[in-house]
Amino acid sequence: MAVKLITAMLYFAAVFYLGWKGWKETRGASDYMLAGRSVNPFIMAMSYGATFVSTSAIIGFGGVAAMFGMPLLWLAFLTIFVGVFIAMVFLGKRTRRMGLTLNCHTFPELLGKRYNSKFVQSFSGGIIFFFIPVYAAAVLTGICRMTEVSLGLPYEWMLIGITAILSLYVITGGMKAVMYTDAFQGTIMAAMMLFLIGYTYYLLGGVVPAHEKLTAMSHLMPQALQKGGILGWTQGSAQGTPLWLVIYTTLVYGVGIGVLAQPQLAVRFMTVSSDRELNRAVLYGAIFLLLTVFVIFVVGALSNAIFLDRFGKISIQMAGGNLDKIIPVFIESIMPSWFSTAFLLAMFAAAMSTLSSQFHIGGTSLAHDVSQVVMPTKRDSKQVNQLGIVATILATLIWAWLLPPSIVARATAFFFGLTGAAFLPAYIFGLYWKGMTKTGAKTSMVGGFTVSMLWMLFIHKKEAASIGLCKALFGKVTLVADAAPGSTMFLLQWVDPNVVALPVSLTIAVVVSLLSRSLAEDHIQLCWQNT
């Protein structure tokens, strides 16, 4: 215990030093929001990856992989191919150029200036501010569950303590502090995950024996999961079953495609000085995600085999039914004692790197994109942004206190899907299609957001059952709850909202833009200058 506390103190000393360094180098709004647009490509890539890969990925999705098995590797593939290669090569360069041409500091401002629309800027900023605390709460929950198991400290204490630590350097240091600490924390994460997968395979006698053992355990899959369609940890799920829909529509599709519209990631494209830096960042980012997301999905699934050997139980049984505790219990009970300390720091790194970015983007969205559009003020923008970050932190803390167990992965998938449906068409078409109009962007964003929320409240069973609005209004958990079991209507309860909302949003964007009057020619030329 003493070793863990001393090591943690050294880690936080390094974090505070980097936060202080960011504070010393922050002199204006551009430094505070975009790190002066001169970030090293390694720092940018590590910050991008560390922001993407948080405790929601490692603790939350690692637990999901322990329950569903190897099909989660499709999500790992999409995070690397779509989240790094497609995002940086095809979106990153144009985002950087357009952001520089239009002098944009935030993702909502980029959309607002592209379409010359205050509504687009304030609406997108409002979505980010109101809903990113849910995602941030999932990340905060993940690290607090880890410390609860590792250090034996009360969950509620850790919520307050970790939030306070993060607040100190995010509020004062801005984007430079966030990105410096992200790069440091991402390096720790990658090193720990590399050892984790190596030692896991060592305990199971190698790669082939490990997967053969896991395959032979399919009869131990819990009955509830078998009824939902899961065949085994390596066999996947039966096509068209409820859990097949959960895996491939919510987890793989919702998160794997939704990553393209993540504002806290897109804004990083505007922090580098040239396209060359983005090209160099692709390799760093891909390696980082391979060492983190891919590793934890494999280890999560294989934890079942190791737990069975040591304790005669599978992972979900070892964690008492709470998915968010599977990886922490695995680390504490299976891995060497020194590693549990190192991994705890890696989880601090994962949580703090993502949370700092979430607090930053949520605060600047409120201060720069909502309040400055709705109620323009001449007050110093840095101070206003700091107040916005404080509001985001408080909202996150409240959500983390209220969210139920086994929520980390679900809350993450919810935010990714919602932002994908609301932002992705306006964002991609705004970069690549001159015919995309202001009206098309407005209706697409409002339509995608509305359909996503309605599907979540009245069709998608997980959220509809938890929120209870459909039950209160119509007397049933979902609108299709009375459909014949196994029918297409019945299975809609497990189809992620983004599967419906994103095509609707794309269709609205194209149709309305074709029917509406084009943007002023001079504004189009400004947007495309040097892109």
Side-chain angles (χ1 to χ4, degrees), residues 33-41 43-45 47-49 52 82-100 104-107 110 175 179 259-279 281-282 285 361 424 427-428 431:
M33 290 186 281
L34 286 179
R37 301 184 191 267
S38 58
V39 172
N40 178 279
I43 292 177
M44 180 270 173
S47 177
Y48 182 95
F52 188 7
V82 176
V84 174
F85 179 72
I86 298 296
M88 290 188 182
V89 173
F90 292 98
L91 302 184
K93 295 177 183 179
R94 285 179 175 256
T95 298
R96 187 197 69 79
R97 296 173 199 167
M98 190 173 288
L100 183 62
C104 302
H105 297 86
T106 65
F107 180 74
L110 178 74
M175 182 61 86
M179 296 190 77
V259 64
L260 291 175
Q262 292 303 292
Q264 72 277 14
L265 299 181
V267 73
R268 274 153 176 72
F269 301 144
M270 296 189 281
T271 64
V272 294
S273 59
S274 71
D275 290 351
R276 184 177 66 178
E277 273 68 30
L278 278 174
N279 290 333
V282 171
I361 196 70
L424 197 54
Y427 178 36
I428 293 179
L431 296 176

Side-chain angles (χ1 to χ4, degrees), residues 216-338:
M217 291 171 52
S218 60
H219 63 285
L220 297 175
M221 181 66 67
Q223 283 295 117
L225 296 181
Q226 291 186 39
K227 290 180 179 178
I230 302 294
L231 303 175
W233 285 281
T234 61
Q235 296 90 338
S237 56
Q239 187 172 351
T241 57
L243 291 181
W244 182 89
L245 292 169
V246 170
I247 293 171
Y248 291 102
T249 69
T250 297
L251 302 178
V252 176
Y253 171 79
V255 176
I257 301 300
V259 64
L260 291 175
Q262 292 303 292
Q264 72 277 14
L265 299 181
V267 73
R268 274 153 176 72
F269 301 144
M270 296 189 281
T271 64
V272 294
S273 59
S274 71
D275 290 351
R276 184 177 66 178
E277 273 68 30
L278 278 174
N279 290 333
R280 293 167 61 190
V282 171
L283 179 61
Y284 298 136
I287 293 173
F288 178 79
L289 289 180
L290 184 65
L291 291 177
T292 50
V293 177
F294 178 85
V295 165
I296 199 60
F297 291 171
V298 172
V299 171
L302 292 175
S303 67
N304 290 281
I306 296 179
F307 278 137
L308 187 67
D309 278 347
R310 295 285 184 91
F311 305 105
K313 299 179 180 179
I314 61 173
S315 300
I316 193 66
Q317 294 169 338
M318 287 294 299
N322 189 341
L323 291 177
D324 300 336
K325 287 189 175 183
I326 290 177
I327 297 300
V329 170
F330 178 78
I331 298 301
E332 287 299 313
S333 60
I334 300 298
M335 301 301 289
S337 58
W338 68 266

